[in-house]
């Protein structure tokens, strides 16, 4: 910025202008500082569980999951989930960004305290080989969060059924609300938070009597497809995981990550 002044009046004008400029810089610095405060780092990880335990590389053996009964067997080699949005829901945190999506949740608090953590389609390849992955990292406003809400668009499944190959995509179009119990209390002095989501993928391929389904029929059988979608939604559990080991038994939650059943 260049000031051209002359005489005593000009000197006063110049001094005032310089003062305003300095004040502006101070305000800008203050604003920049405020924009970085009031949030903490957060991550969302995914792991696959069987019989309540996280799959490990040694336990899984191969990068697949086998679901079988006396007569039929599914050998699942790949499972991708496409998420459209991840939102943390609470009552105290300010919104992270404007949420203009129609939301039919029956929260008494409406949108107050909601924080959109991720928006836009993202494909997550579930770690069937064991261990966990952390595809989503970011920041959350300080506040108390009671739910994490995952919008699952569809899943893609690759594998074999009784030796016959399948590669299919199944729409889920579901909103899964996973409850934190107790809620996550995020303050400005909190350590970065880690949320783990455990998924019982094998349960997707069981019918109501526990028999192994033929996934190839999901493309044509509407009743089976509806049951499959419900099984997918019910298979997700989320909890705050300080040591990031996906072990619910050592978390603070008593019934962590229960699914509300909404979709």
């Amino acid at each position: 910025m260049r000031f051209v002044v002359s005489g005593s009046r000009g000197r006063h004008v110049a001094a005032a202008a310089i003062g305003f400029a300095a004040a502006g810089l101070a305000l800008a610095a203050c604003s920049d500082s405020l924009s970085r405060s009031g949030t903490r780092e957060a991550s969302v990880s995914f792991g696959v569980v069987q019989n309540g335990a996280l799959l490990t590389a040694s336990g899984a053996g191969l990068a697949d999951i086998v679901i079988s009964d006396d007569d039929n067997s599914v050998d699942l080699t790949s499972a991708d989930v496409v998420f459209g949005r991840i939102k943390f829901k609470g009552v105290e945190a300010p919104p992270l960004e404007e949420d203009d999506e129609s939301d039919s949740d029956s929260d008494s608090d409406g949108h107050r305290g909601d924080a959109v953590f991720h928006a836009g389609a993202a494909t997550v390849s579930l770690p069937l080989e064991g261990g966990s992955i952390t595809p989503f990292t970011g920041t959350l406003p300080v506040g108390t969060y009671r739910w994490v809400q995952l919008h699952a668009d569809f899943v893609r499944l690759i594998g074999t059924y009784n030796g016959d190959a399948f590669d299919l995509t199944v729409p889920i179009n579901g909103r899964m609300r996973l409850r934190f119990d107790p809620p996550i209390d995020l303050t400005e002095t909190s350590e970065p938070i880690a949320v783990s989501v455990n998924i019982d993928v094998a349960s997707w391929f069981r019918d109501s009597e526990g028999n192994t389904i033929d996934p190839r029929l999901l493309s044509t059988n509407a009743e089976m497809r509806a049951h499959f979608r419900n099984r997918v939604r019910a298979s997700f559990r989320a909890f705050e995981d300080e040591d990031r080991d996906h072990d619910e038994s050592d978390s603070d939650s008593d019934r962590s990550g229960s699914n509300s059943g909404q979709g």
Side-chain angles (χ1 to χ4, degrees):
M1 182 180 298
R2 182 173 177 228
F3 296 99
V4 179
V5 298
S6 63
S8 60
R9 184 173 180 274
R11 287 193 294 273
H12 289 301
V13 172
I18 293 171
F20 284 130
L25 289 174
L27 287 173
C30 179
S31 175
D32 184 60
S33 175
L34 289 173
S35 70
R36 292 195 300 268
S37 67
T39 62
R40 301 300 296 159
E41 294 179 358
S43 64
V44 176
S45 301
F46 294 87
V48 177
V49 296
Q50 271 191 314
N51 300 318
L54 182 74
L55 291 179
T56 61
S58 59
L62 300 174
D64 60 3
I65 292 179
V66 177
I67 307 97
S68 62
D69 53 32
D70 292 339
D71 300 314
N72 303 299
S73 178
V74 172
D75 189 338
L76 184 67
T77 57
S78 176
D80 295 343
V81 183
V82 175
F83 294 101
R85 174 171 292 207
I86 297 176
K87 181 194 297 182
F88 283 75
K89 302 184 71 66
V91 295
E92 297 176 2
L96 187 64
E97 63 179 60
E98 185 67 19
D99 182 10
D100 58 1
E101 179 182 82
S102 175
D103 196 339
S104 59
D105 294 350
S106 56
D107 286 343
S108 60
D109 295 291
H111 292 279
R112 185 162 59 94
D114 291 0
V116 176
F117 187 64
H118 170 82
T123 300
V124 175
S125 297
L126 300 183
L128 303 184
E129 72 280 5
S132 63
I133 56 173
T134 307
F136 300 109
T137 59
T139 59
L140 283 174
V142 298
T144 300
Y145 295 98
R146 305 185 189 280
W147 308 81
V148 61
Q149 184 168 280
L150 308 176
H151 295 242
D153 295 337
F154 58 86
V155 298
R156 182 185 179 191
L157 309 169
I158 300 176
T160 61
Y161 175 76
N162 293 342
D164 295 329
F166 63 82
D167 183 344
L168 61 136
T169 298
V170 183
I172 303 300
N173 300 326
R175 178 186 294 119
M176 297 174 289
R177 295 182 62 204
L178 311 177
R179 184 180 179 88
F180 299 121
D181 186 10
I184 293 178
D185 189 19
L186 189 62
T187 70
E188 293 203 23
T189 59
S190 297
E191 294 293 324
I193 66 166
V195 170
S196 290
V197 179
N198 286 344
I199 308 170
D200 184 359
V201 173
S203 68
W204 300 358
F205 300 90
R206 302 284 187 187
D207 63 18
S208 57
E209 297 179 353
N211 300 314
T212 303
I213 67 169
D214 182 351
R216 299 171 301 174
L217 300 178
L218 290 170
S219 300
T220 57
N221 189 316
E223 182 178 356
M224 179 183 287
R225 192 162 56 246
H227 177 78
F228 178 85
R229 285 199 296 263
N230 290 336
R231 299 286 282 187
V232 170
R233 295 170 187 170
S235 69
F236 284 67
R237 292 177 61 83
F239 56 99
E240 185 177 7
D241 191 9
E242 292 184 358
D243 54 8
R244 303 169 188 262
D245 64 353
H246 280 257
D247 185 355
E248 295 182 56
S249 65
D250 63 10
S251 73
D252 291 333
S253 302
D254 186 23
R255 290 288 297 167
S256 57
S258 60
N259 195 311
S260 71
Q262 293 190 21

